[in-house]
């Protein structure tokens, strides 16, 4: 009888617990992953990625692992059900003041996971609400350290700082923050207009700088091209003058060699028979040719008194030629002897 009454009392208590436990323990925030508590049916099958916290006579007993588990009726009670999956929490929009006193409206998304079901069950009353409030306060604190421009440029650094700060505080709750992402950042309309004007001014500045740099590069390229053109032109002119001088020198040498060869041939020809007659004929031809060019090259003409007497001019030229041919150069010894005789005569003349 005692055993039967004990079983009846235990069944009544178990039914009452099943009716009241979800209302007492399950908060609106926790209904996401635990809408109701399972009943103690002695033989239990725990789903994967879930942890069931069991209390025995009001005290923590153990955590049921996924799979087959056995519990004692009446004494054991499933108090909490924790999901080990990654949980996504939408952080409500909040206002924060930046370092340069600009009020921002910012919201985000928090990704977390329960790594210790015991701490998540007994360390905090409402873990999701606690983490949400912690994320909001931490975001206000982090935004107060940055200016408005840095908030937009350093979003990744801001998210990393948020994760680090939340993990330091939520370690005692058995919760690990995996990521925090900023969804939207709203600025006041006037500040937005000022930012737009700043962006336009910055773009105009970049365009002006780029245009000036392009003009400078173009001027440098034109000057460099002119410089190279002048250098190449001077080098070409120098090479042309060198080639021209070399050509003129070779022409002078060729003319001199030709003239020397002509003189040698003429001297040889004069030593032959009838050389004088040939010389007379050549002189006469040159005289007639020069006389015919006098009136063509100049208006002033100097004529000899016997212009028409060509024979006399040829005779005069041949006389000069015969005199030059008869004079012979004296030997150096004879010249020294004559100089010594003159010096002796000059020394004896005063006596």
């Amino acid at each position: 009888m005692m055993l039967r009454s004990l079983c009846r009392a235990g069944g009544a208590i178990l039914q009452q617990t099943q009716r009241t436990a979800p209302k007492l323990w399950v908060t609106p925030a926790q209904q996401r992953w635990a809408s109701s508590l399972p009943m103690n049916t002695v033989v239990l099958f725990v789903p994967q990625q879930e942890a069931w916290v069991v209390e025995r006579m009001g005290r923590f007993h153990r955590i049921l692992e996924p799979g087959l588990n056995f519990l004692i009726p009446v004494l054991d009670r499933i108090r909490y059900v924790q999901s080990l999956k990654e949980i996504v929490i939408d952080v409500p929009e909040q206002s924060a003041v930046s370092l340069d006193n600009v009020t921002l409206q910012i919201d985000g998304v928090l990704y977390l996971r329960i790594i210790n079901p015991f701490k998540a069950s007994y360390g905090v009353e409402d873990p999701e609400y606690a983490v949400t409030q912690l994320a909001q306060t931490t975001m206000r604190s982090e935004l107060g350290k940055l200016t408005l421009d840095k908030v937009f440029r350093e979003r990744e650094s801001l998210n990393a700082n948020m994760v680090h700060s939340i993990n330091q505080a939520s370690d005692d709750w058995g919760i690990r923050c995996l990521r925090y992402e900023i969804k939207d950042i709203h600025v006041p309309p006037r500040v937005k207009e000022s930012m737009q004007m700043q962006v336009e001014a910055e773009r105009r500045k970049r365009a002006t700088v780029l245009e000036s740099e392009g003009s400078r590069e173009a001027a440098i390229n034109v000057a460099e091209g002119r410089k190279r053109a002048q250098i190449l032109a001077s080098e070409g002119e120098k090479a042309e003058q060198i080639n021209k001088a070399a050509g003129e020198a070779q022409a002078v040498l060729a003319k001199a060699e030709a003239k020397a060869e002509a003189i040698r041939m003429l001297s040889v020809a004069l030593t032959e028979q009838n050389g004088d007659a040939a010389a007379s004929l050549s002189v006469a031809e040159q005289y007639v040719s020069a006389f015919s060019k006098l009136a063509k090259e100049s208006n002033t003409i100097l004529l000899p008194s016997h212009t028409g007497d060509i024979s006399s001019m040829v005779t005069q030229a041949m006389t000069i030629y015969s005199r030059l041919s008869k004079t012979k150069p004296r030997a150096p010894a004879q010249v020294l002897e004559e100089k010594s005789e003159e010096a002796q005569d000059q020394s004896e003349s005063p006596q």
Side-chain angles (χ1 to χ4, degrees):
M1 293 296 293
M2 292 180 60
L3 181 60
R4 185 177 298 177
S5 61
L6 181 62
C7 290
R8 290 178 180 177
I13 295 173
L14 181 60
Q15 291 178 0
Q16 185 180 0
T17 303
Q18 292 175 356
R19 290 193 301 267
T20 58
K23 298 180 181 179
L24 295 176
W25 174 75
V26 180
T27 61
Q30 291 175 326
Q31 288 179 358
R32 184 190 306 272
W33 62 82
S35 58
S36 62
L37 293 177
M39 183 177 58
N40 185 0
T41 58
V42 181
V43 179
L44 300 174
F45 297 95
V46 180
Q48 185 69 31
Q49 291 298 99
E50 284 191 6
W52 293 3
V53 180
V54 178
E55 293 182 352
R56 177 168 290 180
M57 293 184 296
R59 295 186 58 183
F60 171 75
H61 175 57
R62 66 190 179 102
I63 297 175
L64 301 183
E65 299 294 336
L68 178 62
N69 293 273
F70 297 94
L71 294 180
I72 300 175
V74 181
L75 299 181
D76 293 337
R77 174 187 176 189
I78 301 173
R79 187 69 174 83
Y80 301 101
V81 174
Q82 303 291 353
S83 175
L84 303 181
K85 299 178 182 179
E86 186 172 347
I87 304 169
V88 181
I89 301 175
D90 188 8
V91 180
E93 185 177 0
Q94 60 179 335
S95 62
V97 181
S98 62
L99 185 61
D100 48 356
N101 296 324
V102 178
T103 303
L104 302 176
Q105 298 292 332
I106 187 169
D107 58 352
V109 179
L110 188 64
Y111 299 85
L112 51 87
R113 176 178 292 170
I114 296 176
I115 59 175
N116 193 330
F118 176 78
K119 291 183 178 180
S121 301
Y122 298 99
V124 62
E125 181 65 27
D126 191 346
E128 182 176 355
Y129 178 76
V131 172
T132 302
Q133 295 300 315
L134 179 61
Q136 289 182 342
T137 56
T138 306
M139 175 57 70
R140 293 192 188 97
S141 176
E142 293 294 331
L143 285 178
K145 301 176 183 179
L146 301 175
T147 59
L148 180 60
D149 295 334
K150 290 185 178 181
V151 169
F152 291 99
R153 289 199 303 264
E154 300 181 3
R155 294 182 67 169
E156 294 183 0
S157 177
L158 182 61
N159 293 337
N161 294 337
M162 285 285 298
V163 172
H164 179 69
S165 301
I166 292 175
N167 285 332
Q168 284 183 343
S170 64
D171 188 33
D172 295 335
W173 302 340
I175 299 174
R176 174 65 60 182
C177 180
L178 303 178
R179 292 181 306 279
Y180 182 86
E181 299 293 339
I182 298 175
K183 292 174 59 177
D184 293 319
I185 299 177
H186 302 283
V187 297
R190 293 184 179 180
V191 177
K192 190 174 182 179
E193 293 177 0
S194 301
M195 293 174 61
Q196 188 67 26
M197 294 174 60
Q198 181 181 0
V199 171
E200 293 178 359
E202 184 67 24
R203 293 187 180 277
R204 287 196 298 268
K205 174 184 175 182
R206 291 181 182 178
T208 305
V209 171
L210 291 176
E211 184 178 359
S212 62
E213 289 180 355
S215 302
R216 183 186 65 179
E217 293 294 334
I220 292 174
N221 292 335
V222 171
E224 188 70 22
R226 291 178 179 176
K227 176 183 176 182
R228 293 182 180 179
Q230 292 178 358
I231 291 174
L232 293 176
S234 62
E235 290 179 354
E237 185 178 358
K238 176 183 176 182
E240 181 181 1
Q241 292 178 359
I242 291 174
N243 294 333
K244 186 177 180 180
E248 291 178 356
Q250 291 179 1
V252 171
L253 290 176
K255 289 180 180 180
E257 291 178 357
K259 189 173 182 180
E261 184 66 23
I263 292 173
R264 283 194 297 270
M265 295 177 65
L266 181 60
S267 63
V268 172
L270 292 175
T271 56
E272 295 179 356
Q273 188 178 3
N274 298 326
D276 295 337
S280 300
L281 177 59
S282 177
V283 170
E285 290 177 354
Q286 293 180 4
Y287 176 79
V288 172
S289 177
F291 185 75
S292 65
K293 294 180 180 180
L294 290 176
K296 296 180 180 180
E297 296 180 356
S298 177
N299 296 329
T300 303
I301 303 175
L302 299 177
L303 298 176
S305 59
H306 48 283
T307 306
D309 191 0
I310 298 176
S311 61
S312 61
M313 293 295 296
V314 173
T315 303
Q316 184 178 358
M318 293 303 297
T319 302
I320 295 172
Y321 171 72
S322 60
R323 288 179 181 177
L324 292 175
S325 62
K326 289 180 181 181
T327 58
K328 297 180 180 180
R330 292 175 294 177
Q334 186 177 0
V335 174
L336 292 176
E337 185 177 355
E338 290 178 358
K339 288 184 179 181
S340 62
E341 289 178 357
E342 290 178 359
Q344 186 177 1
D345 292 341
Q346 289 177 3
S347 61
E348 291 177 356
S349 58
Q351 295 178 357

